[in-house]
Amino acid sequence: MRNIHYTLLLLFAFHAPAFSQGQPLSYYLPDISYNPSIPSPHQYFGFHMGEWHLSHDQVVAYLKALDAASDRIVLQEHGRSHEHRPMIHLLITSPANHGKLPAIRQEHLQLSNPQASGKPNLAAMPLVLYQGFTIHGNEPSGVNAAVLVAYYLAAGESPAIGQLLDNTVIIFDPVFNPDGMQRFSTWVNMNKNKVLTDDNADREYDEPWPRGRTNHYWFDLNRDWLPAQHPESQGRVKLFQDWRPNILTDHHEMGTNSTFFFMPGIQSRVNPITPKKNQELTFEIGTFHAKALDKIRSLYYTQESFDDFYYGKGSTYPDAQGCIGILFEQASSRGHVQQTPNGPLTFAFTIRNQVQVALSTHEAAVALREDLLGYQRDFYRNAVQEASKDQRKAFVVGDKHDRPRLLKFAEMVRRHQIDIYELGKKTIVNGTAYEPGQALVIPLEQTQYKLILGMFQRDTTFTDSIFYDISAWTLPLAFGLEYGEVSARDYTPEILGAPLGEVSLPAGSVQAAPDDYAFAFDWDSYYAPAALYFLLKKGVNLKVATKPFTGVTRQGQRQFNYGAILVGTQQQPFGPDQLHQLLQEAAALGHLDIHGLQTGLTSQGIDLGSNNM
């Protein structure tokens, strides 16, 4: 019996499929000369690309080596992830352009200012291309392709590369999501077989929850371009606004059994705010991708999946700002090789496709340079003209009870270079009264007119009612704020108060003395949970009001609503002075006021000792 088992094992070994784990440089990149003084990925890592999944620290270390070796590259850091990983980008252009990069940036920004956009000579100025990879951490072909493309741009020696570097500034962002990417690469490398298997049930392809798609807090960063609540998003949004690129590419992966997708997406699902010229240029750029994938005979498709509606994704955020957003979706090996209806899908093959479309984007950028620069200039000119004709003149947004929430919203909006003002006078919109100090105004006649519409207007009828995902987010509603449209009939210059500068949240205070009867604060505040959590963590005994009450404070009668937090002075593990100090720290964390109560007897509602407390 042992001999039969041994024979079967040998038969299985000789008939098991053999898969190439990695591929030489020529599999991915054009057969041109490369500067021998600049290390290739294979020389630096000691293995061929596609053999292992690169970790984030390996990517950063290699790109630092390219920066040190090449006069075409400057590496910069634009933030840190939640897990404190550096978020880096490369500025890639010719050495001559590097010598005048600040001037190039300033001239380029004039295209988005209609008052100055006639000054630049489009025939002589470089195009700005933003290439971004792997915003979903378990879509690794993007970041691994980025390493190869960076090497090609740093070391490649050909007339085409010289022309590209002379005519473009490339913002090269190798990994949008460092923490998720690290989580995923660790898993697949830990569970890789010495002899690869394409069995989809293999442990390598069964990544455990929460998987690597999201960031440290399990948030999908490709839904955070507009809210920009995470440091990864805030860094890349600032980078985008600092440069206002002409093209932004966003390299993703999709289901293993698919092929390759590139924009344009489903045309009936394009946001109507986006100009038709945007999609025409998207189609034109797509012909370059088709040519590149035809050359290596890779299967692909367009227009049958994905939409361009919600402006909070990487491929659509640019569309509201005179830029062309391009989504790439590669069928994912989710490891090193999987069996699919299209045959074995290797990691190396997925990387190769991503490299090809990154390079075809370079070709499109050079060929269409003046068209794309002209489109951006005309986009902002047209936007301001459309705003002047719009019967809506401003959006007013407010919160009567929670200034920090309103300011937090304003901070989000201002990240996108949108002007905001304090409300200058009491204004009634659709029966709702907005008061100065409790509301802000966003005028429509500004260059970011289209992005403002994408944030604020409520669309309820559509050409196509099917969407890929969160197409219905109206951001003031997502923040729980009241807002309304100010029409031309109701608009007066006095509505605009002082411009809102750098957002500074209220400091918070304790309006009480240590020997007060009790203390309370409202639950309306955006940051109230931070104050509550701090006090709980310190061991303070707290109660919550399940009904409203009017308490007696040092300043007089004050109403507290549902959810107010009560801090008694008795039965606490602290003395009065120590408790008062903790309340001061809580008030600062919560950007709120904590009030001292003088008696347990209230003038209205439940008393402080009520069973409803």
Side-chain angles (χ1 to χ4, degrees):
M1 181 65 80
R2 181 193 298 171
N3 288 340
I4 294 173
H5 284 163
Y6 182 66
T7 303
L8 289 172
L9 185 61
L10 284 175
L11 285 171
F12 177 78
F14 282 114
H15 285 88
F19 301 106
S20 175
Q21 294 190 17
Q23 294 287 354
L25 199 64
S26 58
Y27 177 75
Y28 301 105
L29 294 175
D31 186 15
I32 58 173
S33 297
Y34 291 89
N35 185 337
S37 67
I38 296 177
S40 70
H42 180 229
Q43 291 169 330
Y44 187 86
F45 297 120
F47 54 82
H48 288 298
M49 292 299 295
E51 188 173 355
W52 294 94
H53 285 243
L54 295 179
S55 61
H56 183 258
D57 55 301
Q58 287 177 313
V59 172
V60 171
Y62 178 67
L63 296 184
K64 285 182 177 179
L66 292 185
D67 175 37
S70 173
D71 59 359
R72 303 171 181 177
I73 289 176
V74 171
L75 184 148
Q76 296 179 340
E77 183 176 314
H78 57 268
R80 292 271 168 158
S81 71
H82 282 296
E83 295 177 11
H84 207 65
R85 291 190 173 86
M87 297 181 296
I88 63 166
H89 64 276
L90 309 178
L91 292 176
I92 306 175
T93 189
S94 67
N97 284 341
H98 271 296
K100 52 185 178 181
L101 211 53
I104 289 174
R105 187 178 77 87
Q106 289 301 325
E107 183 183 43
H108 182 79
L109 289 176
Q110 290 181 336
L111 295 179
S112 55
N113 178 4
Q115 294 178 336
S117 61
K119 297 177 183 178
N121 178 7
L122 303 189
M125 65 188 298
L127 174 141
V128 178
L129 166 63
Y130 191 137
Q131 292 190 283
F133 304 82
T134 305
I135 201 164
H136 296 141
N138 59 1
E139 298 177 3
S141 59
V143 60
N144 285 266
V147 165
L148 287 157
V149 177
Y151 170 71
Y152 167 82
L153 293 170
E157 297 175 339
S158 72
I161 292 179
Q163 186 182 23
L164 171 69
L165 296 175
D166 286 340
N167 287 281
T168 63
V169 173
I170 301 173
I171 304 165
F172 198 84
D173 198 331
V175 52
F176 284 138
N177 180 2
D179 297 346
M181 177 255 180
Q182 185 73 16
R183 195 157 64 240
F184 177 73
S185 64
T186 300
W187 172 264
V188 292
N189 287 335
M190 283 174 56
N191 291 282
K192 176 187 175 185
N193 295 304
K194 187 172 182 65
V195 177
L196 295 184
T197 168
D198 63 353
D199 185 347
N200 309 85
D202 193 287
R203 176 180 172 85
E204 180 182 347
Y205 312 115
D206 189 20
E207 181 193 5
W209 188 87
R211 305 177 183 271
R213 177 182 176 89
T214 55
N215 73 346
H216 173 82
Y217 284 106
W218 310 338
F219 196 90
D220 187 334
L221 293 175
N222 198 41
R223 306 301 184 270
D224 196 37
W225 285 80
L226 268 188
Q229 297 299 292
H230 294 264
E232 300 93 337
S233 308
Q234 292 167 12
R236 68 173 183 269
V237 165
K238 185 178 187 306
L239 185 58
F240 181 97
Q241 294 299 336
D242 283 348
W243 278 95
R244 292 279 177 90
N246 300 101
I247 304 173
L248 185 146
T249 54
D250 190 15
H251 290 252
H252 286 252
E253 290 184 356
M254 56 182 168
T256 301
N257 293 335
S258 302
T259 58
F260 192 94
F261 169 87
F262 58 82
M263 288 292 194
I266 298 172
Q267 290 299 286
S268 61
R269 303 177 194 171
V270 175
N271 195 311
I273 298 170
T274 302
K276 293 190 182 300
K277 183 66 174 177
N278 171 284
Q279 291 299 292
E280 292 172 8
L281 287 166
T282 303
F283 272 92
E284 200 163 351
I285 293 170
T287 63
F288 290 84
H289 306 321
K291 181 180 176 182
L293 295 174
D294 284 346
K295 187 175 180 180
I296 62 171
R297 292 172 172 76
S298 278
L299 296 173
Y300 60 87
Y301 71 99
T302 68
Q303 301 183 66
E304 297 177 40
S305 298
F306 307 103
D307 60 49
D308 273 330
F309 202 98
Y310 171 57
Y311 285 138
K313 295 187 291 190
S315 58
T316 45
Y317 178 74
D319 292 344
Q321 300 177 84
C323 178
I324 309 299
I326 304 288
L327 171 68
F328 297 122
E329 292 276 357
Q330 165 63 50
S332 182
S333 64
R334 285 290 192 271
H336 293 86
V337 60
Q338 284 199 64
Q339 187 56 249
T340 79
N342 300 305
L345 179 64
T346 66
F347 185 38
F349 180 81
T350 68
I351 297 171
R352 187 190 195 197
N353 282 342
Q354 299 275 28
V355 169
Q356 296 307 305
V357 294
L359 302 188
S360 61
T361 301
H362 298 161
E363 294 181 35
V366 172
L368 303 174
R369 181 179 60 84
E370 285 194 54
D371 291 337
L372 290 159
L373 291 169
Y375 167 70
Q376 188 170 62
R377 177 196 61 199
D378 294 342
F379 175 93
Y380 283 102
R381 286 179 177 176
N382 295 337
V384 171
Q385 289 174 5
E386 289 175 32
S388 68
K389 298 174 183 177
D390 197 323
Q391 289 305 298
R392 301 165 297 183
K393 291 304 172 187
F395 290 104
V396 59
V397 56
D399 192 308
K400 297 176 183 178
H401 308 289
D402 189 2
R403 176 82 175 170
R405 180 187 302 274
L406 185 61
L407 291 176
K408 193 67 179 174
F409 175 79
E411 180 183 67
M412 176 200 70
V413 174
R414 289 189 73 257
R415 286 194 188 101
H416 307 288
Q417 302 296 304
I418 293 171
D419 296 331
I420 307 178
Y421 297 80
E422 295 282 358
L423 181 64
K425 69 171 188 176
K426 181 177 179 179
T427 303
I428 298 176
V429 180
N430 294 328
T432 300
Y434 296 89
E435 299 280 355
Q438 300 176 356
L440 303 170
V441 182
I442 299 92
L444 287 179
E445 289 193 38
Q446 53 179 303
T447 55
Q448 289 287 53
Y449 166 71
K450 288 185 176 289
L451 188 62
I452 293 168
L453 294 185
M455 290 179 168
F456 282 86
Q457 74 179 17
R458 303 190 199 190
D459 294 316
T460 56
T461 58
F462 308 96
T463 303
D464 186 337
S465 60
I466 299 173
F467 297 95
Y468 179 69
D469 63 350
I470 47 176
S471 56
W473 271 21
T474 302
L475 288 182
L477 301 183
F479 267 70
L481 298 170
E482 289 186 313
Y483 87 106
E485 301 172 357
V486 182
S487 67
R489 182 188 61 193
D490 298 326
Y491 184 84
T492 62
E494 293 76 25
I495 286 177
L496 294 185
L500 188 70
E502 196 69 30
V503 172
S504 179
L505 296 176
S509 67
V510 178
Q511 299 179 12
D515 61 352
D516 280 349
Y517 178 84
F519 310 92
F521 61 89
D522 294 308
W523 189 245
D524 295 322
S525 173
Y526 187 77
Y527 286 97
L532 172 64
Y533 180 75
F534 170 80
L535 292 172
L536 288 172
K537 189 176 179 181
K538 293 295 183 179
V540 179
N541 293 321
L542 305 168
K543 287 191 171 187
V544 59
T546 63
K547 292 183 179 181
F549 66 94
T550 300
V552 181
T553 73
R554 287 178 175 267
Q555 292 74 35
Q557 303 283 326
R558 190 180 190 284
Q559 185 173 355
F560 292 88
N561 213 333
Y562 296 96
I565 303 299
L566 178 71
V567 186
T569 54
Q570 298 302 310
Q571 297 175 302
Q572 296 286 2
F574 313 101
D577 290 336
Q578 189 177 359
L579 179 61
H580 193 262
Q581 177 61 38
L582 292 174
L583 292 175
Q584 289 178 325
E585 294 180 53
L589 283 170
H591 304 284
L592 48 74
D593 294 329
I594 298 178
H595 301 273
L597 300 171
Q598 306 305 298
T599 172
L601 193 65
T602 64
S603 58
Q604 283 186 318
I606 59 175
D607 292 323
L608 301 192
S610 167
N611 289 332
N612 290 299
M613 189 71 74

